[in-house]
Amino acid sequence: MEFDTIAAISTPSGEGAIAIVRLSGEDALSIADKLYKGKSRLIEAQTHTIHYGHLFDPKIEEAVEEVMVSVLRAPKTFTREDVVEINCHGGLVSVNKVLDLVLSYGARLAEPGEFTKRAFLNGRIDLSQAEGVMDLIRAKTDRAMNVALKQVNGRLSDKVRRLRQKLLETVANVEVNIDYPEYDAESVTLERLKEHAVEVRDEIDQLLATAKQGKILREGLATAIIGRPNVGKSSLMNSLVHENKAIVTDVPGTTRDVLEEYVNVRGVPLRLIDTAGIRETEDIVEKIGVERSRQVLTEADLILLVINSAEDLTEEDKALFQAIQGLNAVVIMNKTDLDKKIDVEKVRELASGRPIIAASLLKDEGIEELEQAISRMFFEEGVETADLSYISNARHIGLLNQAKRSIDEALEAADLEVPVDMVQIDITRAWEQLGEIVGDNVHDSLIDQLFSQFCLGK
């Protein structure tokens, strides 16, 4: 398989110590060699070596940048093509001048995710590993990064291929029965098929059991902080973020809009949403903020309801308890450093078994207990596990569910003593659906769609 030579900036835009322009393709070395001047030519360099020198524009014979150039020869590269990485000074002007130069001398600007796409098309990684690369880049916590890293290293791929091999052996037994019925009775073949199908279905169930936690680690929990004005919602956000992101004053209605921030709570990524205090108001701007807060409430995975323990419960508090019925929520009784006036028994009744945390956010008290409650709510055994093979990708979850349904249909047909060659159709369908996870059976349009979600230089 042959491709043209592509190039892109592989480091984030903005000022930094260094920036990297990456080239991949048959002409990567020759293009870089035309522009580079150092002690030796890049075209003659050994693989996996790095060289100091300068880039020159041959048209004007002037130095463009001082660089360190890495030479990586095929096939021992990420794309299994010749790869050159030009390390230059960080900054928009310098890195763009280097990119413009390599594009002027034969390279083409890479499409989003095209380096990883080439790694897939050249057999360096499979499709689930490629998706793991994207998850690794987007990971918000150490635990999410470890899950993605296991996927990049092929943990999921190995499991899926093992399941496919077991189904393939089952199909082979059916073929033998069809071709040589005198050597293998159909009843024996059906029993063997059912035994293997049940084993595969049980392993799929084990993978799907991790889907909820996997999606949380991958995407984070949309967590809405709600409550009446001036009960401490912004203080809670600042305590979790460990930074003064939200304005905190004694004036009710200070937060007029929805504020968002990602935080790491014991390995669980939370997308914190600090809402405007929910109350009836005549202030037009505050009223818009309150309506947005109500909308966020319906979309959140987790609700943190903050109430003031130094005041009696109000009708607005009770209405908020009513609004979170049926939702995952933790109740935070704030301002425990002041005289307690709230009816704790009434709070327990309204909380309906949800965790209640006593806190003084002014003194950073209660945050540890809150983090424990959130972790227990979504990870009963804790986030730490020996096997981090969480299924987190919606595409993988959908295909596993389809494969499971195909196996269930095969088992139902076998129980009804349908001819074994008809049962085989459902087993073959499950084998193909599992193959789509690793990219063995997948359409070009899906490949293009998946890799278009990557950043430009990856």
Side-chain angles (χ1 to χ4, degrees), residues 34-101:
K34 290 176 189 175
L35 310 173
Y36 171 82
K37 286 188 179 180
K39 287 186 177 181
S40 60
R41 296 188 62 189
L42 296 178
I43 203 76
E44 299 169 351
Q46 295 294 316
T47 186
H48 292 75
T49 55
I50 189 164
H51 306 267
Y52 168 77
H54 291 80
L55 286 192
F56 279 77
D57 186 343
K59 294 177 182 176
I60 58 175
E61 297 184 351
E62 287 185 3
V64 173
E65 249 288 31
E66 182 183 28
V67 295
M68 297 286 288
V69 182
S70 299
V71 173
L72 308 163
R73 293 182 181 273
K76 294 184 178 181
T77 67
F78 180 65
T79 60
R80 285 194 171 164
E81 303 172 334
D82 287 344
V83 172
V84 173
E85 292 188 347
I86 302 172
N87 297 257
C88 60
H89 292 96
L92 292 174
V93 175
S94 58
V95 71
N96 277 302
K97 285 183 82 172
V98 172
L99 178 62
D100 290 342
L101 196 58

Side-chain angles (χ1 to χ4, degrees), residues 340-404:
K340 185 183 294 183
K341 294 184 180 179
I342 201 164
D343 184 343
V344 177
E345 288 305 316
K346 185 63 177 176
V347 171
R348 288 200 182 98
E349 178 188 333
L350 292 170
S352 304
R354 294 180 178 85
I356 300 172
I357 307 297
S360 171
L361 298 174
L362 183 66
K363 298 183 176 181
D364 255 356
E365 295 174 358
I367 296 299
E368 182 78 12
E369 292 78 5
L370 174 60
E371 291 184 352
Q372 287 177 357
I374 294 171
S375 182
R376 282 195 300 268
M377 185 177 291
F378 293 95
F379 291 84
E380 293 181 6
E381 303 298 326
V383 186
E384 296 284 349
T385 65
D387 180 6
L388 289 169
S389 298
Y390 289 113
I391 299 297
S392 61
N393 186 297
R395 189 180 74 87
H396 299 167
I397 294 168
L399 288 167
L400 285 169
N401 277 312
Q402 289 177 33
K404 181 184 174 184

